[in-house]
């Protein structure tokens, strides 16, 4: 096949994860063919480009940036380092050829071609859960959008998709779009959330709903969508403890637009096709502390790995993946062989963990390992623990624990050194109401 | 906008049957028009069904249904090859789970023999498992002529090929009344335009009785019977090797809830069967109870289903002649009703109650209707009939890699992916926008290209399509985005010519 290009590390996706991974890898592999970034959109930055609200970078830069500003810091750095970016280019397939990985890429300017790389970082991000996955009864009128699609139309294309809006789901994008639609002159009737708690960040409840007088109804969901052509309204109902609608609580809310903010699904068609083992809870690959998947030399980070709460943590995780991918090239002895490792598993109160295994340190100077996880239910105060059998490796007390917020814990050199006989690290959370 | 059009043959309804008739008659020296109330062809029952070609085992010998389904099925390979429509002969197992199902299964077998269904075999469990691993059941009837097809793909292809052969399609044109002139029937639409015909063909599907009555012909009352479906993610493509059906009961209005693979790689769960009130013949809603039962049934048949595998619901309504208290099916009515007209020498052919297997039967119905028309208007076959439709079968991404690499070199727009889930390219979207019928709505793009039909349901491609429509065609988003999916694009540019827009792309 024609047009073969060869690189050390190919990063798929130019959003926050891909950018940070490419930069970190490029710092270790400065040669022109060291790192390649492939992005399907016209510009790098990913979903940040349509997130024109602020609040990005508080942890990383100590200031509240807009999405495009946050992205530009990474794009500028990537440009400075000379990371080549294949824009307007989509990866259609990744296959593992042992020594190298083969990527089938497609673009208007370059046609269909093959890119080879010795390591690949999967940073495709996530997509929104559509209506079908929710099984909402009723008609199929126009006017039902995912919140992110509406955000794209308004912020990037200057197109208003509707005037009288109901939002289902209190995910962050939904709440941000409640404010955005209001600022653009729409009437946002309410945000309805099935769960007894909001799924987005507390700061968004305050800044996007409370400050604009938009009501949030918890334990309430849309049970019917009406309108043969354009949406005419939705029926909402309260749900019981079983999360099923309670009869007699239905009411009709007229609207011409329904925005869905009901969850994000990591985008992993490429990972599946490459034979990567998946975690059914996160929808992302099973990885080790270096973000390496079950396929040697294939790494995953950002929202393709698991849906994050804050982009700052995406960047941090992706840098780790990018560094590890670059280091992987100089570790030929490890390719194809499994290093001794310890499993990481969610225990009481914890929904999932990333990573799913941690390699035993090869030297005492090994860097600390990060463990990210989410709790099952909200609680006012609680303790989170990493344990091997009865031995506590690390423990933290939090003023509040919430499924919307990820918890990050680190295992330092001492804790890692103590793992040599261990089999499994259990992560648990013990919250009190 | 026209005020008056004169045809030899006017067809009311651009579903699969109306379009098959239009295409068949376009082989002859006839002036042919089609009126369709929707903004595109194939927006009724023809895009809302299981998209299965039936073998003909389900129909009582001697009936019209038995005759046209077996003949229609046999005509499909040649037709789909000419029109570039995806068709897969995956066969079907009708399965008896217990002894009580056996009489019903044997009855199907006997009907199949009487109807001339080719290649049937009875199979024990071991043999059926060679076709579908792990399947349960004590005895199955194997019908290799059962197939899956793109139902809307076929309808659109028939219409576009008819158009290439001179048939005029009047979209957004709803018949509101029919007058008899001495040698013509004159159909009025809701805008007051008139369409005259020496022979009028009523292929109005769910509204066939209403159109018949407009001409003064007594027609059996039509009942809409809704079938709801779930569409499953392509992740499960390949799970089903064949069609698996239970043995139908004697009074079932449909063939029962089952899994159906589609030619595009999805799986359908459904259809249910529920009569709906007469004023709502086109109410295509999904209902909570049935969705729940479809999910349950889906999980029973495919235990590995995850919540994210349910990507879409849809429903379609069968035009039935049998009322709810009777159930079952009545036979198709395909008849020349010219003698029932008063005060005119014009002709009228009524097609009534074409529910399942209407899709399978469409080519055979078209050939029967052609004979009826030619008896009234002797017309010669015309020279220069274009039998082949340009293009390729399926989507660009389904073509072999080497072929795609060649095609993208001469047409770079095949390199740009607009719909991530279905891997639909910019070129395919452009072809859909510039479709020869001049159908200009988001649904027209959807059914032609498959964009918006994947697992993200348009989240990725809709902004891109809207941008292209605005920047390259001048269609203002506000004009259609705040209306129905089927709202027509309106723009400053004349939409008929494809060439100019292409240069701008």
């Amino acid at each position: 096949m024609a047009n073969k290009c060869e690189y050390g590390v190919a990063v798929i996706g130019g959003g926050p994860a891909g950018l940070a991974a490419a930069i970190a890898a490029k710092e270790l592999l400065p040669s022109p063919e060291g790192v390649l970034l492939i992005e399907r959109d016209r510009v790098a930055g990913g979903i940040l480009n349509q997130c024109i609200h602020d609040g990005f970078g508080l942890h990383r830069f100590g200031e509240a940036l807009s999405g495009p500003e946050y992205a530009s810091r990474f794009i500028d750095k990537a440009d400075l380092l000379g990371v080549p970016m294949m824009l307007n280019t989509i990866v259609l397939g990744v296959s593992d050829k042992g020594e190298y990985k083969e990527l089938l890429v497609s673009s208007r300017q370059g046609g269909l071609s093959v890119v080879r790389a010795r390591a690949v970082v999967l940073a495709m991000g996530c997509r929104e859960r559509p209506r079908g996955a929710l099984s909402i009864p009723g008609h199929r009128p126009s006017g039902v959008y995912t919140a992110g699609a509406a955000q794209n139309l308004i912020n990037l294309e200057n197109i208003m998709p509707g005037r009288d809006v109901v939002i289902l789901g209190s995910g962050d994008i939904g709440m941000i779009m409640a404010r955005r639609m209001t600022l653009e002159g729409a009437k946002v009737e309410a945000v309805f959330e099935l769960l007894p708690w909001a799924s987005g960040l507390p700061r968004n409840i305050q800044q996007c709903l409370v400050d604009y007088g938009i009501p949030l109804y918890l334990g309430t969901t849309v049970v019917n969508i009406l309108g043969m052509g354009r949406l005419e309204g939705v029926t909402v109902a309260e749900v019981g403890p079983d999360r099923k609608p309670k009869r007699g609580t239905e009411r009709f809310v007229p609207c011409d637009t329904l925005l869905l903010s009901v969850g994000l699904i990591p985008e992993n068609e490429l990972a599946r096709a490459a034979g990567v083992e998946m975690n059914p809870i996160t929808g992302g690959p099973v990885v080790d502390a270096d973000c390496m998947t079950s396929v040697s030399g294939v790494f995953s980070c950002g929202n393709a790995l698991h849906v994050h709460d804050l982009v700052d943590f995406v960047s941090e995780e992706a840098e780790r993946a990018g560094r590890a991918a670059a280091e992987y090239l100089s570790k030929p002895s490890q390719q194809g062989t499994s290093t001794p490792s310890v499993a990481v598993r969610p225990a009481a109160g914890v929904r999932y963990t990333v990573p799913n295994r941690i390699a035993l340190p090869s030297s005492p100077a090994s860097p600390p390992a990060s463990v990210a996880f989410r709790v099952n239910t909200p609680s006012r105060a609680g303790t989170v623990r990493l344990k091997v059998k009865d031995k506590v490796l690390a423990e933290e007390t939090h003023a509040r624990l919430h499924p919307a917020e990820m918890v990050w814990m680190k295992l330092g050199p001492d804790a890692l050194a103590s793992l040599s006989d261990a089999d499994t690290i259990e992560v648990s959370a013990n919250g009190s109401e | 906008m026209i005020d008056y059009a004169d045809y030899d043959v006017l067809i009311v309804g651009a579903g699969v049957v109306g379009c098959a008739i239009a295409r068949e008659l376009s082989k002859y020296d006839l002036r042919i028009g089609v009126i369709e109330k929707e903004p595109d062809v194939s927006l009724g029952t023809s895009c809302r069904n299981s998209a299965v070609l039936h073998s003909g085992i389900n129909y009582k010998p001697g009936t019209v249904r038995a005759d046209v389904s077996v003949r229609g099925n046999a005509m499909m390979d040649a037709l789909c090859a000419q029109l570039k429509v995806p068709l897969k002969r995956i066969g079907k197992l009708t399965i008896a789970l217990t002894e009580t199902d056996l009489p019903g299964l044997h009855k199907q077998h006997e009907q199949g023999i009487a109807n001339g269904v080719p290649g049937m075999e009875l199979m024990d469990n071991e043999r059926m498992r060679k076709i579908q691993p792990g399947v349960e059941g004590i005895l199955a009837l194997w019908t290799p002529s059962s197939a899956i097809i793109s139902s809307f793909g076929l309808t659109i292809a028939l219409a576009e090929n008819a158009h290439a052969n001179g048939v005029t399609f009047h979209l957004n044109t709803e018949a509101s009344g029919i007058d008899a002139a001495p040698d013509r029937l004159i159909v009025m639409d809701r805008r007051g335009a008139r369409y005259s015909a020496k022979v009028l063909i009523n292929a109005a599907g769910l509204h066939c009785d209403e159109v018949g009555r407009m001409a003064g012909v007594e027609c059996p009352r039509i009942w809409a019977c809704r079938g709801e479906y779930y569409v499953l993610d392509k992740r499960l493509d390949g799970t089903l090797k064949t069609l698996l059906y239970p043995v139908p009961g004697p009074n079932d209005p449909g063939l029962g809830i089952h899994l159906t693979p589609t030619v595009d790689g999805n799986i359908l769960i459904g259809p249910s069967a529920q009569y709906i009130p007469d004023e709502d013949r086109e109410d295509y809603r999904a209902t909570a109870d049935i969705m729940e039962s479809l999910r349950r049934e889906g999980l029973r048949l495919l235990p590995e289903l995850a919540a994210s595998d349910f990507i879409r619901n849809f429903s379609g309504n069968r035009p039935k002649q049998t009322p709810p208290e009777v159930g079952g099916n009545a036979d198709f009515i395909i008849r020349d009703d010219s003698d029932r007209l008063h005060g005119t020498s014009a002709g009228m052919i009524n097609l009534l109650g074409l529910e399942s297997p209407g899709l399978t039967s469409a080519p055979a119905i078209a050939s029967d209707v052609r004979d009826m028309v030619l008896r009234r208007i002797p017309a010669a076959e015309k020279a220069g009939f274009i039998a082949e439709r340009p293009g390729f079968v399926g989507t660009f991404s389904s073509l072999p890699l080497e072929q795609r690499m060649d095609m993208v070199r001469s047409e770079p727009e095949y390199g740009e992916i607009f719909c991530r889930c279905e891997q639909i390219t910019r070129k395919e979207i452009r072809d859909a926008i510039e479709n020869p019928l001049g159908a200009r709505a988001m649904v027209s793009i959807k059914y032609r290209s498959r964009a918006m039909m994947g697992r993200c349901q348009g989240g990725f491609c809709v902004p891109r399509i809207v941008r292209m429509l605005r920047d390259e065609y001048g269609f203002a988003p506000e004009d259609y985005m705040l209306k129905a999916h089927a709202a027509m694009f309106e723009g400053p540019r004349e939409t008929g010519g494809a060439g100019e827009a292409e240069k701008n792309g």
Side-chain angles (χ1 to χ4, degrees):
Chain A
M1 265 176 259
N3 304 334
K4 265 187 191 126
C5 308
E6 310 224 358
Y7 289 89
V9 175
V11 178
I12 304 175
L19 283 166
I23 290 166
K26 185 72 178 174
E27 283 172 338
L28 297 177
L29 303 169
S31 76
E33 56 284 346
V35 179
L36 172 70
L37 182 76
I38 307 172
E39 164 57 39
R40 65 190 175 197
D41 220 321
R42 296 165 285 182
V43 288
I47 214 72
L48 286 171
N49 290 328
Q50 68 184 58
C51 297
I52 60 172
H53 53 280
D54 73 352
F56 300 94
L58 283 167
H59 290 254
R60 190 178 178 96
F61 299 113
E63 51 186 313
L65 304 172
S66 71
E69 285 173 319
Y70 187 92
S72 69
R73 299 218 172 174
F74 290 84
I75 295 170
D76 291 349
K77 183 146 189 213
D79 285 344
L80 197 68
L81 289 170
V83 175
M85 288 192 202
M86 259 188 198
L87 297 175
N88 290 307
T89 302
I90 195 161
V91 178
L92 297 177
V94 176
S95 45
D96 183 15
K97 306 281 179 187
E99 279 285 291
Y100 58 90
K101 324 293 167 201
E102 205 165 80
L103 279 56
L104 177 64
V105 302
S106 183
S107 69
R108 195 160 19 147
Q109 67 281 7
L112 276 159
S113 61
V114 167
V115 171
R116 282 177 167 187
R118 289 176 57 206
V120 171
V121 180
L122 303 173
M124 292 84 66
C126 59
R127 64 169 181 269
E128 296 176 281
R129 194 182 295 278
R131 172 188 175 183
L134 302 177
S135 296
I136 309 173
H139 293 131
R140 303 180 306 153
S142 70
V144 181
Y145 295 92
T146 56
Q151 187 179 47
N152 182 315
L153 288 168
I154 293 177
N155 292 351
L156 296 182
E157 305 299 338
N158 197 28
I159 294 167
M160 263 304 264
R163 300 185 186 99
D164 291 299
V165 184
V166 162
I167 295 175
L168 175 61
S170 58
D172 290 310
I173 313 169
M175 293 197 280
I176 285 158
M177 283 311 293
R179 175 175 65 183
R180 190 79 192 99
M181 296 291 285
T182 306
L183 292 172
E184 286 293 329
K187 170 90 178 85
V188 177
E189 304 292 339
V191 176
F192 297 100
E193 169 59 56
L194 175 79
L195 298 175
W197 58 80
S199 20
L201 295 169
R203 73 179 195 210
N204 283 329
I205 301 174
Q206 182 63 43
Q207 294 170 11
C208 299
L209 303 184
V210 177
D211 290 356
Y212 290 84
I214 299 168
L216 167 64
Y217 296 95
L218 299 174
T220 308
T221 194
V222 172
V223 295
N224 207 5
I225 293 176
L226 290 164
M228 303 277 264
R230 178 73 188 190
L231 179 64
E232 286 160 22
V234 296
T235 306
V236 299
E238 292 169 25
V239 297
D242 59 354
R243 293 180 191 166
K244 298 264 188 260
K246 288 195 276 190
R247 286 204 193 278
T249 65
E250 298 91 352
R251 67 186 170 97
F252 182 69
V253 184
C255 58
D256 65 17
T257 303
L258 173 66
L259 298 189
L260 304 175
S261 176
V262 289
L264 299 167
I265 304 170
E267 225 182 275
N268 277 304
E269 281 68 38
L270 289 176
R272 283 195 192 90
V276 164
E277 186 191 342
M278 304 297 292
N279 178 348
I281 307 289
T282 56
V286 168
V287 293
D288 65 15
D290 284 340
C291 297
M292 189 159 87
T293 69
S294 63
V295 176
S296 180
V298 174
F299 298 78
S300 172
C301 58
N303 283 351
L305 176 57
H306 59 131
V307 174
H308 291 61
D309 51 353
L310 296 176
V311 71
D312 310 57
F313 300 141
V314 167
S315 303
E316 188 185 319
E317 178 185 273
E319 282 164 346
R320 208 161 58 238
R323 264 195 308 273
E327 284 163 359
Y328 173 84
L329 303 190
S330 55
K331 285 194 243 172
S333 61
Q334 282 191 18
Q335 290 181 23
T337 65
S338 59
T339 29
S341 63
V342 183
V344 185
R345 294 227 172 87
V350 172
R351 204 157 77 83
Y352 72 81
T353 70
V354 171
N356 310 85
R357 55 178 197 276
I358 294 176
L360 291 177
S362 48
S363 75
S366 287
S370 253
V371 176
F373 57 95
R374 286 186 194 255
V375 297
N376 277 325
T377 51
S379 54
R380 288 255 164 66
T383 308
V384 289
R385 286 187 194 91
L386 304 186
K387 289 199 304 189
V388 172
K389 296 207 176 97
D390 290 332
K391 191 177 133 210
V392 177
L393 296 176
E395 180 175 280
E396 286 176 8
T397 308
H398 287 250
R400 76 178 231 128
L401 289 169
H402 199 280
E405 294 170 351
M406 277 165 49
V407 186
W408 292 81
M409 290 178 73
K410 280 205 169 28
L411 285 178
D414 292 347
L416 287 173
S418 74
L419 290 174
S420 52
D421 299 328
D423 181 49
T424 304
I425 300 172
E426 291 200 324
V427 183
S428 62
N430 182 4
S432 56
E433 204 25 65
Chain B
M1 292 282 160
I2 53 129
D3 296 323
Y4 182 78
D6 186 33
Y7 295 108
D8 294 318
V9 180
L10 181 68
I11 299 162
V12 181
V16 68
V17 172
C19 292
I21 293 168
R23 195 262 181 177
E24 182 59 30
L25 289 175
S26 72
K27 296 171 180 170
Y28 296 84
D29 221 345
L30 292 166
R31 284 168 303 153
I32 303 159
V34 180
I35 63 169
E36 167 54 52
K37 69 181 169 56
E38 299 297 325
D40 199 351
V41 302
S42 193
L43 292 185
T45 310
S46 299
C47 73
R48 303 166 169 282
N49 58 73
S50 302
V52 165
L53 298 185
H54 295 290
S55 63
I57 57 170
N58 300 109
Y59 319 114
K60 198 174 155 193
T63 59
V64 176
R65 293 209 303 165
D67 173 43
V68 290
S69 63
V70 174
R71 280 165 48 220
N73 184 312
M75 295 164 82
M76 283 289 184
D77 297 273
L79 187 63
C80 290
Q82 286 180 331
L83 298 179
K84 313 284 196 301
V85 175
L87 164 72
K88 290 184 187 165
R89 293 272 176 197
I90 61 170
K92 168 172 132 174
L93 289 169
T94 304
I95 300 170
L97 285 173
T98 62
E99 299 279 333
T100 54
D101 291 333
L102 287 176
L105 187 75
H106 287 300
K107 186 182 169 203
Q108 301 256 304
H109 189 203
E110 286 152 22
Q111 288 186 155
I113 293 168
N115 295 342
V117 174
M120 288 185 298
E121 286 178 67
L122 284 169
M123 291 186 173
D124 61 13
N125 187 267
E126 191 187 341
R127 289 195 59 209
M128 60 179 109
R129 285 186 177 205
K130 285 191 179 134
I131 293 171
Q132 179 67 48
V135 69
E136 299 289 333
I138 56 170
L139 192 68
L141 177 59
W142 168 243
T143 46
S145 62
S146 302
I148 53 175
I149 191 172
S150 170
S151 61
F152 44 83
L154 175 64
T155 309
I156 290 166
L158 286 163
E160 291 188 357
N161 185 243
H163 175 82
N165 286 298
V167 174
T168 305
F169 283 81
H170 301 277
L171 303 174
N172 273 318
T173 301
E174 180 172 359
S176 60
I178 298 173
D179 276 348
D183 61 348
R184 294 276 194 281
L185 284 177
I186 297 172
V187 178
M188 265 85 63
D189 77 3
R190 299 212 174 270
R191 296 193 326 270
R194 294 175 307 146
Y195 309 83
S196 77
K198 291 179 191 158
V199 176
L200 181 65
I201 297 170
N202 170 11
L206 283 166
H207 301 284
C208 62
D209 54 341
E210 295 162 12
V211 171
R213 269 180 234 125
M214 282 179 200
V217 176
E218 273 308 307
C219 293
R221 187 219 150 125
I222 294 298
W223 305 78
C225 180
R226 183 161 57 216
E228 296 183 30
Y229 294 84
Y230 260 107
V231 184
L232 299 180
D233 193 289
K234 282 185 169 180
R235 184 176 77 84
L236 303 148
D237 187 18
T239 315
L240 289 177
K241 313 293 180 202
T242 186
L243 294 158
L244 303 171
Y245 279 62
V247 176
N251 291 318
D252 292 352
L255 296 176
I257 292 173
H258 53 269
L259 301 178
T260 306
T262 71
V263 285
D264 300 301
N266 302 99
I267 292 175
L268 305 177
I269 310 175
S272 54
Q274 192 180 38
Y275 281 86
I276 59 174
D278 191 48
E279 62 273 19
D280 298 330
R281 282 188 195 182
E282 289 184 78
D283 188 324
Y284 301 116
R285 74 173 71 198
T287 58
D289 291 349
I290 287 176
M291 289 168 86
E292 173 69 30
S293 68
L294 293 181
R295 286 176 79 90
R296 235 189 351 255
E297 190 62 12
L299 282 164
R300 188 179 71 76
L301 297 165
L302 285 177
E304 70 269 36
L305 277 182
S308 60
D309 289 327
F310 295 83
I311 63 172
R312 180 78 165 176
N313 299 92
F314 72 91
S315 62
N317 298 345
R318 309 165 178 88
K320 295 186 89 64
Q321 301 172 59
T322 46
E325 60 276 15
V326 176
N329 310 88
D331 200 12
F332 289 176
I333 297 173
I334 300 169
R335 69 182 184 211
D336 187 330
D337 277 336
S338 308
D339 293 347
R340 300 175 196 227
L341 301 174
H342 300 288
T344 180
S345 64
M348 182 171 194
I349 296 164
N350 280 307
L351 308 172
L352 307 172
L354 302 194
E355 48 159 315
S356 181
L359 171 65
T360 312
S361 308
I365 295 171
S367 109
D368 292 353
V369 169
R370 173 203 61 206
D371 293 344
M372 293 179 190
V373 169
L374 292 179
R375 275 198 289 275
R376 300 200 68 83
I377 315 175
E381 283 192 53
K382 71 185 174 203
F385 171 71
I386 306 160
E388 297 270 333
R389 185 165 167 259
F392 46 84
V393 181
T395 60
F396 178 75
S397 71
S398 68
L399 299 175
L401 182 59
E402 292 298 331
Q403 189 183 350
R404 280 190 280 160
M405 288 180 132
D406 276 348
M407 286 172 73
V408 80
R409 270 191 281 274
S410 49
E411 180 42 86
E413 289 202 338
Y414 280 128
E416 184 176 347
I417 302 289
F418 253 46
C419 163
R420 139 191 82 185
C421 306
E422 299 291 306
Q423 298 194 356
I424 306 301
T425 64
R426 172 187 273 269
K427 171 69 171 135
E428 291 165 285
I429 303 290
R430 185 180 300 294
D431 290 345
I433 295 170
E434 297 176 358
N435 68 78
L437 297 180
R440 303 280 182 262
M442 287 302 262
V443 287
S444 307
I445 298 173
K446 171 175 151 179
Y447 285 120
R448 280 169 180 76
S449 70
R450 278 196 68 73
M452 301 171 256
M453 294 177 107
R455 52 174 69 94
C456 91
Q457 290 288 298
F460 184 81
C461 64
V462 165
R464 283 167 170 75
I465 294 170
V466 168
R467 189 163 72 215
M468 183 176 182
L469 287 168
R470 179 189 61 194
D471 296 349
E472 297 180 36
Y473 294 89
F475 295 127
E478 294 75 16
D479 286 347
Y480 60 93
M481 288 203 73
L482 293 175
K483 299 175 190 164
H485 291 304
M488 299 284 276
F489 306 142
E490 292 161 42
R493 188 171 300 168
E494 183 53 53
T495 56
E500 191 188 344
E502 215 148 32
K503 279 173 217 135
N504 292 349

